[in-house]
């Protein structure tokens, strides 16, 4: 199921945050190296992957009630948790694998008085939470990192598939029975749906798009709402081909575009 995005006014201050203060790595494989992230976060204060909040705020507001308990995977130095907090979503827990990112985020939130937001050092492939404890799990660009060495996007390497499934199994486990998983991604539906639709999961899958010229994807997976295989098949739509021009991408997002081109 696909919804149309709505145009958003550009925020000049947020647009500046799209420009990294560190040089992109020479190879996309660096994105899977914890040492790279610790070094980067020690120098960089803020960077937004896949557009800033203003481009998809309407989708957040449509799918996350203010009373929700939210888990953000791979917060890094993004302002996503702060933007949700300002919109009244205050019960937020952020995790990141980088101890540097966690410490700096804790200090930043404390300085702004956002004391309700929790920030923990944790691995999204091994979530340290009880079953069915969050209304919403959200990630923005974090899952895409698992695909930087995936090989053929139509037939990803077994190691990639195993990591993605471990992540999704953890998300499914910690979501409440009627919880939702939101994935903000570069990955197109024909690459993501085979993983989202694995038989172990009970969620339905829909998506919206946002962005100017180039579309990013806002996936909404609703736990316990999966249709039967026949209904799911009948509800599928043809995915239009998307022209990927590097000049339409911002910051380091072109890294993921390059990965798809090289392996397609």
């Amino acid at each position: 199921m696909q919804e149309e995005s709505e145009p958003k006014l550009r925020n000049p201050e947020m647009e500046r945050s799209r420009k990294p203060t560190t040089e992109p790595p020479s190879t996309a494989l660096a994105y899977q190296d914890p040492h790279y992230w610790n070094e980067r976060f020690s120098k960089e204060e803020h960077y937004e992957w896949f557009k800033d909040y203003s481009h998809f705020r309407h989708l957040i507001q449509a799918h996350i009630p203010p009373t929700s308990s939210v888990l953000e995977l791979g917060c890094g130095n993004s302002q996503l948790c702060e933007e949700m907090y300002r919109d009244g979503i205050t019960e937020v827990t952020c995790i990141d694998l980088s101890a540097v990112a966690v410490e700096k985020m804790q200090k930043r939130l404390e300085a702004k008085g956002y004391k309700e937001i929790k920030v923990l050092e944790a691995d999204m492939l091994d979530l340290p939470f009880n079953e069915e404890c969050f209304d919403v799990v959200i990630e923005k660009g974090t899952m895409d990192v698992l695909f930087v060495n995936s090989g053929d996007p139509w037939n990803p390497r077994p190691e990639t598939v195993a990591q993605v499934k471990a992540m999704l199994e953890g998300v499914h486990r910690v979501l409440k029975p009627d919880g939702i998983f939101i994935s903000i991604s570069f990955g197109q539906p024909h690459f993501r749906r085979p993983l989202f639709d694995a038989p172990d999961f009970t969620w339905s899958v829909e998506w919206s798009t946002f962005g100017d010229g180039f579309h990013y994807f806002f996936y909404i997976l609703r736990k316990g709402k999966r249709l039967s295989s026949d209904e799911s098949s009948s509800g599928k739509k043809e995915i239009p081909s998307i022209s990927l021009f590097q000049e339409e991408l911002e910051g380091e997002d072109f890294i993921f575009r390059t990965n798809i081109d090289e392996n397609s």
Side-chain angles (χ1 to χ4, degrees):
M1 178 180 179
Q2 185 176 6
E3 303 172 1
E4 292 299 320
S5 61
E6 62 181 48
K8 290 291 163 186
L9 296 176
R10 288 185 178 273
N11 181 330
E13 185 66 28
M14 291 298 291
E15 290 297 328
R16 284 194 288 273
S17 73
R18 295 281 303 137
K19 299 178 181 179
T21 56
T22 56
E23 288 295 320
S26 58
T27 171
L29 290 177
Y31 290 123
Q32 293 186 337
D33 181 0
H35 298 292
Y36 165 78
W37 289 110
N38 280 332
E39 182 178 356
R40 174 170 177 160
F41 290 137
S42 68
K43 302 174 183 176
E44 183 181 74
E45 295 303 317
H46 175 215
Y47 181 70
E48 294 293 340
W49 295 87
F50 302 168
K51 296 288 188 178
D52 65 70
Y53 188 77
S54 66
H55 290 84
F56 54 86
R57 181 188 181 202
H58 61 294
L59 297 171
I60 293 289
Q61 292 178 324
H63 296 289
I64 306 182
T67 56
S68 300
S69 57
V70 179
L71 172 64
E72 180 188 356
L73 306 178
C75 60
N77 54 21
S78 167
Q79 292 183 351
L80 175 59
C81 65
E82 300 172 47
E83 297 285 359
M84 290 193 294
Y85 185 93
R86 285 192 282 269
D87 271 346
I89 304 167
T90 59
E91 191 178 344
V92 180
T93 300
C94 304
I95 67 166
D96 202 281
L97 192 59
S98 168
V100 175
V102 168
E103 181 181 3
K104 293 184 74 172
M105 179 67 81
Q106 289 172 336
K107 291 180 179 178
R108 190 170 87 189
L109 294 173
E110 184 178 358
K112 294 183 177 182
Y114 300 162
K115 297 180 180 179
E116 294 92 337
I117 301 177
K118 301 175 183 177
V119 189
L120 308 173
E121 182 181 348
D123 187 347
M124 68 178 180
L125 304 185
D126 186 20
L127 294 176
F129 304 106
N130 295 328
E131 295 184 6
E132 301 181 352
C133 58
F134 291 101
D135 296 304
V136 178
V137 177
I138 186 169
E139 65 88 17
K140 182 161 80 83
T142 308
M143 185 169 69
D144 287 58
V145 172
L146 300 178
F147 289 91
V148 297
N149 191 32
S150 64
D152 179 2
W154 296 101
N155 186 28
R157 291 189 175 98
E159 297 83 355
T160 298
V161 172
Q163 285 190 315
V164 174
K165 283 188 174 181
M167 173 190 170
L168 294 177
E169 287 168 359
V171 169
H172 195 273
R173 180 181 64 80
V174 302
L175 278 176
K176 293 180 181 179
D178 58 350
I180 66 171
F181 173 42
I182 293 174
S183 176
I184 301 171
S185 174
F186 185 96
Q188 298 170 37
H190 45 279
F191 296 137
R192 291 293 184 265
R193 285 206 63 165
L195 296 161
F196 291 154
D197 287 340
D200 292 339
F201 306 133
T202 67
W203 45 41
S204 61
V205 180
E206 59 188 277
W207 62 89
S208 299
T209 59
F210 64 90
D212 305 316
F214 179 81
H215 282 171
Y216 297 90
F217 295 90
F218 188 102
Y219 292 98
I220 307 103
L221 284 64
R222 302 180 187 278
K223 188 175 180 179
K225 303 296 183 182
R226 184 168 187 163
L227 301 174
S228 69
S229 58
D230 291 341
E231 291 174 305
S232 179
S233 297
S234 64
K236 288 182 181 179
K237 295 183 178 180
E238 290 297 318
I239 307 301
S241 60
I242 298 175
S243 180
L244 307 181
F245 295 105
Q246 183 166 321
E247 59 268 22
E248 293 177 342
L249 306 181
E250 300 177 0
E252 294 172 72
D253 294 351
F254 76 90
I255 289 288
F256 297 102
R257 179 254 186 181
T258 303
N259 185 52
I260 288 179
D261 284 354
E262 289 176 349
N263 295 290
S264 58

